[in-house]
Amino acid sequence: MGQASSQAAGAEHSAAKPIGMLVAAVGVVYGDIGTSPLYTLKEVFSGGYGVPVNHDGVLGILALIFWSLIWVVSIKYMMFVLRADNQGEGGIMALTALARRAAAGHPKLRTLLVVCGLIGAALFYGDSMITPAISVLSAIEGLGLAFEGIDHWVVPLSLIVLVALFLIQSHGTARIGILFGPIMVTWFVVLGALGVYGIMQHPEVLKAMNPVWGVRFFVVHPGMGVAILGAVVLALTGAEALYADMGHFGRKPIARAWFILVLPALVLNYFGQGALLLGDPEAARNPFYLLAPSWALIPLVGLSTMATVIASQAVISGAFSLTRQAIQLGYIPRMHIRHTSSAEQGQIYIGAVNWALMVGVVLLVLGFESSGALASAYGVAVTGTMLMTSILVSAVILLLWKWPPVLAVPVLLGFLLVDGVYFAANVPKIVQGGAFPVIAGIALFVLMTTWKRGKQLLVDRLDEGGLPLPIFISSIAVQPPHRVQGTAVFLTARPDAVPHALLHNLLHNQVLHEQVVLLTVVYEDIPRVPASRRFEVESHGEGFFRVILHFGFVDEPDVPQALKLCHLDDLDFSPMRTTYFLSRETVIASKLEGMARWREALFAFMLQNANGNLRFFNLPLNRVIELGTQVEM
């Protein structure tokens, strides 16, 4: 999630070095789902669900895990969701943009799909806090099996590892990222080897591949059947990362890595742990580590810790990438985005997101203190995001791809049914500790919708007192003001009206530049806009020009660089002749029709603390003039 090259570069490397791309995909994409064997069966059999550690109970659970991996990951994500790429980009925000385009002719449906996308994105942030906490805790807990009396050190050691991980984010992960692939390949090989070792002791565990054992578990334990899915879903954590990272590697390397290495390793390890439980039910307290020979326990703890750090890094980087997409689609206030690599566009750092995640992770570790307790909170955000993805991809398949409903609807209903059942199984966790990611998700959803609605209201309020551009230009022709040399660029959301900054500049300084450019930046529902479609230019006479710059939601919005593409004899954007005029609005909550007063106050606070256009558009510091105005909402 953000630790590899762009899709175009990925495609090029994929053709030249398929093995290298496969290894890199394993390192970046599969850290989260790859570390789930650390805690899944442990939570199932010792998490208070009451699952009997006997022959039928073990085989029933293994069948549920195996067929969940097949249906949700292998079929849903690999065969369907990964095909729903937005010009090669994946992830919940890219899918939302695609679904919004698919429902262009249905306004109400379009709004509903956008809401689903925002819910999924908000829940993803909650997942981004829980994943590092539970993964690192579960890895460090292995020390308690090797050394007696060290249990009280698990939380401090976990906090040290996690805080260190967040502290290094600002330096970038390009160097350590080189090691991600080989370490995770080693991890999956070890998972498979441990699984084979366990299966050899009790080969009858392979019977669990028969789905009848899963059905039988539901029949024998009707009250426990749905509830246990709240623990089984732990085996699917990280499935969303497969889609989110498609823009970095492409679909084929991700799919190949899954079917060639990751899926076999996971299945072997789960079945190996199950075989261990058939021979020793007491091993349910930590079947992953107890599956290993005693001499391998300490090295396994070290490898597990590295694997969980990589899994956490992937989720953190994914939060950075998601935030950038949401900013450029207009759902989150602008923040300072720093690129930590001159070669890789996907490697970015957003300080506000990093520190917010760190605080959330630290609070989770201190509050729950163990992976078992934290597992009770895990699953709500994951299954919620998966359900939203199914809804969005259904709209894309039916409305954009126009697949025959007779073929598409049964499969899509299957996806929605399974995701719905998993989500329902995790709803009770809200009162067991799962409220944390839900509350975080609700808060983020409110912030995103408030920002989007507030920005629209702000534009509408400014338009109410706006002066149409043709009338203004006509008045300039009749009574021309003093014109000074150079080009003035006024950033405005509405190119057909006169920007307030222009009016204020004319009122106070009583001059106009020789060339006046009304610049509007438009973000498209696609990841990248080619240079040939970057700009539109229209002359209005009297030295006035309208310029529209188009960017995708993963493009770098470098305005000066983009303006260099405007090759017109009448326009000169040379750095020393161009001045940028910005308008900074101060919002005052009022009784005017719009949003609730508390949301207006919240929007005003967000607007005041948002990163300005100057840094976001990479404008030269010494060539910017900012003019303020007050707006009632």
Side-chain angles (χ1 to χ4, degrees), residues 333 447 450-451 454-455 458 584-590 595-610 631-633:
L447 290 174
T450 298
W451 179 256
K455 290 291 287 184
L458 180 59
R584 176 171 287 272
E585 297 84 8
T586 300
V587 171
I588 302 174
S590 70
M595 295 188 294
R597 292 291 294 274
W598 67 269
R599 291 187 73 190
E600 291 176 354
L602 175 61
F603 174 72
F605 175 79
M606 295 167 70
L607 184 65
Q608 182 181 357
N609 291 276
V631 182
E632 286 190 354
M633 291 184 61

Side-chain angles (χ1 to χ4, degrees), residues 75-329:
I75 296 178
K76 173 188 165 183
Y77 278 93
M78 293 298 166
M79 297 184 181
F80 287 86
V81 176
L82 286 183
R83 295 181 185 275
D85 67 295
N86 195 335
Q87 290 192 1
E89 289 293 323
I92 190 72
M93 292 307 298
L95 182 59
T96 300
L98 200 63
R100 189 168 65 176
R101 194 191 319 158
H106 310 276
K108 292 184 178 179
L109 176 61
R110 177 173 174 162
T111 300
L112 177 62
L113 293 174
V114 168
V115 169
C116 290
L118 293 179
I119 292 174
L123 291 174
F124 177 83
Y125 285 106
D127 181 37
S128 298
M129 288 183 272
I130 296 183
T131 294
I134 191 173
S135 298
V136 174
L137 271 173
S138 59
I140 301 296
E141 283 170 352
L143 292 174
L145 299 175
F147 305 100
E148 293 185 6
I150 201 174
D151 291 346
H152 63 283
W153 283 100
V154 170
V155 170
L157 288 174
S158 298
L159 288 175
I160 291 173
V161 172
L162 288 166
V163 171
L165 176 62
F166 283 101
L167 290 177
I168 67 171
Q169 293 302 310
S170 61
H171 301 289
T173 55
R175 294 179 181 176
I176 62 173
I178 298 174
L179 302 176
F180 283 4
I183 290 175
M184 290 309 298
V185 168
T186 303
W187 169 254
F188 285 113
V189 170
V190 170
L191 285 185
L194 289 174
V196 171
Y197 173 74
I199 293 171
M200 290 174 62
Q201 314 304 315
H202 295 278
E204 67 268 26
V205 76
L206 295 175
K207 295 178 182 178
M209 289 187 177
N210 188 339
V212 171
W213 287 101
V215 175
R216 182 181 298 178
F217 185 89
F218 278 100
V219 173
V220 176
H221 308 283
M224 186 193 306
V226 174
I228 198 60
L229 293 178
V232 171
V233 76
L234 296 174
L236 304 177
T237 58
E240 197 68 25
L242 311 176
Y243 182 45
D245 279 303
M246 183 170 56
H248 304 309
F249 299 99
R251 182 174 64 89
K252 290 184 178 179
I254 292 175
R256 287 169 181 164
W258 172 255
F259 289 110
I260 293 174
L261 177 63
V262 179
L263 178 61
L266 291 175
V267 170
L268 286 172
N269 195 263
Y270 282 123
F271 277 60
Q273 291 184 46
L276 172 67
L277 295 176
L278 291 179
D280 180 15
E282 295 297 321
R285 59 194 176 100
N286 203 321
F288 175 80
Y289 281 116
L290 293 176
L291 179 61
S294 57
W295 59 266
L297 186 56
I298 298 301
L300 186 59
V301 171
L303 180 61
S304 300
T305 303
M306 287 189 289
T308 54
V309 167
I310 292 171
S312 303
Q313 174 62 57
V315 173
I316 295 168
S317 301
F320 292 160
S321 299
L322 178 66
T323 301
R324 180 175 66 174
Q325 293 183 12
I327 287 172
Q328 300 193 174
L329 288 171

Side-chain angles (χ1 to χ4, degrees), residues 552-572:
F553 55 76
V554 298
D555 279 329
E556 181 71 16
D558 190 326
V559 166
Q561 185 67 29
L563 289 177
K564 291 180 180 179
L565 299 174
C566 299
H567 300 298
L568 290 180
D569 295 335
D570 295 334
L571 280 176
D572 182 4

Side-chain angles (χ1 to χ4, degrees), residues 428-439:
K429 291 185 177 183
I430 294 176
V431 297
Q432 302 170 3
F436 186 92
V438 173
I439 292 173

Side-chain angles (χ1 to χ4, degrees), residues 66-77 410-411 414-415 418:
F66 175 74
W67 286 104
S68 293
L69 290 172
I70 296 299
W71 177 256
V72 176
V73 183
S74 299
I75 296 178
K76 173 188 165 183
Y77 278 93
V411 177
F415 294 155
V418 172

